[in-house]
Amino acid sequence: MSTAAHASSSSLPSPAAAVAFGLDTFGDVTVDRAGEPVPHAQVIRDLVEQAVLADSVGVDAFGIGEHHRPDFAVSAPDVVLAGIATRTERMTLGSAVTVLSSDDPIRVFQRFSTIDALSNGRAEVVLGRGSFTESFPLFGYDLAQYEQLFSEKLDLFAALLPEEPVTWSGELRPPLVDQRVYPETEGGLSAWIAVGGSPESVVRAARYGFPLMLAIIGGPAGRFAPFADLYREACGRFGTGRLPIAVHSPGLVAETDDAAARLALPHWLDNRNRIGRERGWGDAGEAEFHREVRSGALYVGSPETVAQKIATTVRTLGLDRFDLKYASGPTPHEDLMASIDLYGRRVIPRVRELLTEAGYEPGVAQTVSRL
């Protein structure tokens, strides 16, 4: 090989550079430095500032979740994303997730195609059934139809994505005959399916040709290796080609491991135990928090600690993207901003270094810790 050819090949980006790193939030109601809850309206304004910072420090994607309860400020993530679209330049903007079961697929498509226009093609929608059920009675849906609602609405949404006239029929809404939906996008709308651990949902994502977002909120990431393997196998069976796999997990970054744990622990416990009591779980304690930080789904620590753990997860599952849910419970806005800054400026570059050193290629799992 000539010197010129060698220089050219060595300057090419490594395959690991293609891995994307995002941030997700549910708009958790925060507290101020005095421990007082911040009003919903201010939480939403702060969330926009968090997104603007994320865009400026190199984060690749920003997702906002949908909830309809007092401890979360965002019930209409698409509206917040539209505002963020006008103040950011490079990040992908999406939901985390859109509860499709209690929404109208046509309106979901229209709202996100509008965000796509405002953002110059940066919109995506992550579709899911959601882990909360408040939206069902709020919008007049029967929880007894939980599975049927999602299946039928997903089928309709998939039919909309080619942006051609749609003829479709189901049991839960009137049929469509040669119907177009507007506004049209300039380059197509990206859509994912979020899965919490159901093999049937993993296979369904592959059958429709949707990228897969695995929500891992407890236990070691390696437990989800069979789902990643199943998804790749199903994609091959359905002839969809290789599709991206991402992970969404909670965490917080601070200058040191001790500082991160001190900041995250009380707010994680507040969130975990408030929701746990609603669902009949026993209360978690400090030991569970530290166990999840050490070997589970909490990415809490210094930039180096968090980067090492993310890199291991990416390699173990063969990921194309990792999203850190950077707010868990009422963590103050100032601490969230500091975490975002460290994630963008120090964690992401370090993860890319680690993946390059390991010879990582997106979509190809490396045996690291699949237990």
Side-chain angles (χ1 to χ4, degrees):
M1 180 184 293
S2 70
T3 302
H6 178 76
S8 175
S9 63
S10 63
S11 64
L12 293 174
S14 73
V19 179
F21 298 94
L23 288 169
D24 293 339
T25 178
F26 295 165
D28 307 53
V29 172
T30 56
V31 294
D32 60 22
R33 288 303 188 201
E36 293 299 315
V38 174
H40 283 185
Q42 186 59 50
V43 172
I44 292 171
R45 290 190 289 267
D46 289 344
L47 196 161
V48 173
E49 296 307 317
Q50 292 159 20
V52 171
L53 174 61
D55 190 61
S56 72
V57 297
V59 174
D60 297 313
F62 195 86
I64 304 177
E66 171 194 348
H67 293 84
H68 304 271
R69 44 184 291 132
D71 42 349
F72 299 105
V74 179
S75 60
D78 44 285
V79 179
V80 183
L81 290 166
I84 292 170
T86 65
R87 295 194 53 198
T88 56
E89 297 179 355
R90 49 174 301 280
M91 291 188 306
T92 298
L93 303 174
S95 55
V97 299
T98 295
V99 184
L100 189 63
S101 308
S102 56
D103 211 328
D104 181 273
I106 294 174
R107 291 298 283 153
V108 171
F109 180 89
Q110 290 175 325
R111 296 196 300 263
F112 279 88
S113 63
T114 300
I115 297 169
D116 201 61
L118 291 170
S119 65
N120 291 305
R122 293 185 285 127
E124 67 179 13
V125 58
V126 181
L127 305 169
R129 289 178 287 189
S131 60
F132 295 86
T133 60
E134 289 86 357
S135 63
F136 288 81
L138 183 64
F139 299 122
Y141 290 98
D142 185 354
L143 269 172
Q145 295 178 317
Y146 183 83
E147 180 61 36
Q148 185 182 6
L149 281 165
F150 185 72
S151 296
E152 188 167 302
K153 292 186 178 194
L154 181 64
D155 189 65
L156 173 54
F157 192 87
L160 301 173
L161 286 177
E163 301 188 40
E164 299 291 340
V166 174
T167 296
W168 179 93
S169 64
E171 296 180 6
L172 301 178
R173 62 160 293 153
L176 300 176
V177 179
D178 205 28
Q179 180 71 57
R180 298 194 74 99
V181 176
Y182 304 102
E184 296 174 342
T185 66
E186 294 173 308
L189 179 64
S190 176
W192 298 65
I193 290 184
V195 173
S198 160
E200 294 80 11
S201 296
V202 169
V203 173
R204 176 164 49 196
R207 185 172 70 248
Y208 279 105
F210 284 101
L212 179 70
M213 179 76 72
L214 289 168
I216 304 179
I217 61 173
R223 291 191 305 121
F224 283 73
F227 294 104
D229 294 341
L230 174 63
Y231 179 71
R232 282 186 277 264
E233 177 188 326
C235 284
R237 190 163 70 245
F238 294 122
T240 56
R242 195 185 83 76
L243 296 172
I245 301 177
V247 156
H248 151 113
S249 284
L252 186 79
V253 190
E255 286 290 350
T256 67
D257 290 348
D258 286 346
R262 185 173 64 253
L263 290 170
L265 173 60
H267 304 302
W268 182 84
L269 286 174
D270 178 276
N271 181 69
R272 160 64 176 78
N273 291 336
R274 179 171 12 93
I275 294 170
R277 288 172 197 135
E278 295 174 8
R279 300 182 178 186
W281 305 341
D283 279 0
E286 290 190 25
E288 182 173 334
F289 171 83
H290 290 296
R291 183 168 58 251
E292 286 292 335
V293 170
R294 185 174 59 253
S295 59
L298 277 178
Y299 294 73
V300 172
S302 67
E304 180 65 21
T305 295
V306 173
Q308 291 281 352
K309 190 168 183 177
I310 291 174
T312 297
T313 296
V314 171
R315 295 174 59 202
T316 299
L317 301 181
L319 300 180
D320 298 86
R321 175 168 148 187
F322 180 93
D323 282 8
L324 182 75
K325 181 184 178 293
Y326 68 92
S328 291
T331 309
H333 170 61
E334 297 83 359
D335 295 333
L336 297 177
M337 292 288 275
S339 181
I340 290 167
D341 185 74
L342 290 170
Y343 182 73
R345 295 187 188 277
R346 292 171 59 183
V347 174
I348 292 174
R350 179 59 175 144
V351 178
R352 290 203 167 109
E353 285 181 1
L354 292 167
L355 295 178
T356 298
E357 290 169 4
Y360 178 73
E361 294 186 19
V364 181
Q366 296 177 328
T367 302
V368 182
S369 175
R370 293 167 72 86
L371 300 177

